[in-house]
């Protein structure tokens, strides 16, 4: 491997913590034992509906209401109003203002920087929203700004091949020697395969691999503690 590119959400930081905090504040009726599954449903609805925003079929505000409303309904909680949904989104964004890079990820980034391994970022989502996370996580201390791609600004999104092709061109990377690291099998692992990249599935949520899919990834890592030694072994 010569170069490495990362996903952001739930890869570089623990996305579940700000989500849990916002849920507890906005919907105290949600049981603690439902938090993890609610988060998984929230991520699923995000991935399924953001293409409608990209295609100008839905507004971003409606998509954000829809994903939390559907997630709650999936777990048999009552439907909420759009006002409640947008209040939750505001609280969630305030929680995201406090995100920090996981210390094990920082070890990885410091190691790669010391080894002069070129790094990049590909993340799905609204441009302003995702770049705010880039700033909060101080990613530009390790990754050049020109090597950060946010889906909305491109017109493409993971797992589409085009966004990986664009990244390879913009970052000047050799696909066959580039490792993509992400937590979503559907977006990150399948997307990397579509682009002809290698991949590492950072499956710290212990999700099942989707039915009828093959293990396209080079490695699967199931905890933050195992991430650094695995990447160290691939780039030493």
């Amino acid at each position: 491997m010569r170069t490495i590119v990362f996903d952001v959400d739930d890869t570089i930081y623990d996305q579940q913590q700000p989500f849990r905090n916002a849920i507890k504040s906005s919907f105290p009726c949600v049981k603690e034992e439902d938090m993890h599954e609610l988060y998984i449903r929230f991520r699923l609805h995000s991935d399924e509906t953001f293409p409608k925003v990209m295609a100008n079929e839905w507004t971003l505000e409606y998509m954000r209401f829809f994903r939390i409303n559907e997630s709650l309904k999936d777990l048999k909680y009552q439907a909420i109003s759009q006002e409640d949904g947008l209040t939750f989104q505001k609280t969630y964004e305030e929680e995201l203002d406090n995100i920090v890079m996981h210390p094990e990820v920082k070890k990885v980034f410091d190691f790669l920087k010391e080894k002069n391994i070129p790094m990049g970022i590909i993340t799905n989502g609204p441009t302003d929203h995702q770049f705010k996370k880039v700033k909060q996580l101080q990613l530009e201390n390790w990754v050049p700004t020109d090597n950060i791609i946010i889906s909305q600004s491109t017109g493409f999104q993971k797992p589409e091949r085009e966004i990986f092709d664009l990244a390879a061109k913009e970052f000047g990377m050799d696909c066959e020697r580039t490792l993509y690291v992400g937590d979503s099998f559907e977006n990150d692992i399948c997307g990397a395969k579509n682009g002809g990249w290698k991949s590492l599935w950072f499956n710290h949520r212990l999700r099942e691999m989707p039915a009828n899919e093959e293990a396209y990834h080079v490695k699967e890592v199931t905890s933050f503690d195992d991430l650094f030694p695995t990447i160290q072994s691939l780039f030493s």
Side-chain angles (χ1 to χ4, degrees):
M1 298 298 173
R2 296 284 181 84
T3 53
I4 188 166
V5 180
F6 292 85
D7 170 47
V8 172
D9 292 319
D10 222 29
T11 296
I12 293 175
Y13 73 99
D14 180 0
Q15 191 180 27
Q16 197 166 123
Q17 191 58 55
F19 175 81
R20 291 165 69 92
N21 291 348
I23 289 292
K24 287 179 180 179
S25 174
S26 302
F27 308 114
C29 62
V30 173
K31 299 174 183 176
E32 183 65 32
E33 58 265 32
D34 288 338
M35 282 289 189
H36 178 70
E37 184 58 29
L38 185 65
Y39 168 78
I40 298 298
R41 300 304 302 173
F42 183 77
R43 289 289 301 274
L44 176 68
H45 288 301
S46 293
D47 291 341
E48 288 180 342
T49 57
F50 190 66
K52 294 181 181 293
V53 177
M54 295 276 286
N56 293 316
E57 296 173 14
W58 285 8
T59 64
L60 182 59
E61 290 75 15
Y62 180 75
M63 184 279 284
R64 286 170 165 169
F65 155 71
F66 181 91
R67 66 181 179 178
I68 186 59
N69 187 46
E70 291 302 306
S71 300
L72 288 165
K73 290 189 331 187
D74 287 346
L75 271 68
K76 310 304 180 187
Y77 290 99
Q78 285 189 339
I80 61 173
S81 67
Q82 287 201 35
E83 183 179 357
D84 287 342
L86 295 178
T87 297
F88 162 78
Q89 178 64 32
K90 182 175 182 295
T91 304
Y92 182 43
E93 289 184 13
E94 289 170 353
E95 290 292 336
L96 288 171
D97 286 343
N98 299 316
I99 58 174
V100 295
M101 181 181 293
H102 194 284
E104 291 300 312
V105 176
K106 184 178 183 301
K107 283 171 62 175
V108 169
F109 277 31
D110 287 342
F111 164 76
L112 293 167
K113 185 175 182 178
E114 183 179 339
K115 297 277 287 185
N116 292 315
I117 304 296
M119 289 183 274
I121 296 289
I122 305 175
T123 180
N124 280 357
T127 304
D128 291 348
H129 185 62
Q130 294 303 99
F131 199 67
K132 185 177 179 182
K133 295 176 188 175
V134 167
K135 291 294 188 183
Q136 175 63 26
L137 294 165
Q138 301 179 7
L139 290 179
E140 290 160 302
N141 289 341
W142 296 271
V143 183
T145 306
D146 289 344
N147 281 17
I148 298 172
I149 285 182
I150 299 172
S151 66
Q152 188 180 44
S153 64
T154 70
F156 307 112
Q157 65 173 13
K158 299 179 296 183
E160 294 172 346
R161 174 177 181 168
E162 290 86 350
I163 198 167
F164 287 89
D165 288 347
L166 176 65
K169 179 181 177 181
E170 293 291 322
F171 301 169
M173 295 179 174
D174 178 352
C175 300
E176 294 185 357
R177 296 187 177 186
T178 298
L179 185 73
Y180 189 75
V181 180
D183 70 297
S184 167
F185 191 92
E186 295 88 341
N187 285 341
D188 301 324
I189 306 308
C190 293
K193 174 184 176 290
N194 291 340
W197 297 29
K198 308 298 184 187
S199 62
L200 183 153
W201 187 19
F202 187 27
N203 188 24
H204 61 102
R205 300 294 179 197
L206 304 179
R207 298 184 178 98
E208 294 291 328
M209 195 166 71
N212 304 317
E213 290 287 1
E214 298 177 24
Y216 308 120
H217 44 289
V218 173
K219 293 279 187 179
E220 178 179 351
V221 174
T222 56
S223 74
F224 277 95
D225 288 342
D226 290 336
L227 187 63
F228 175 63
T230 302
I231 289 180
Q232 187 179 36
S233 69
L234 291 170
F235 285 88
S236 294

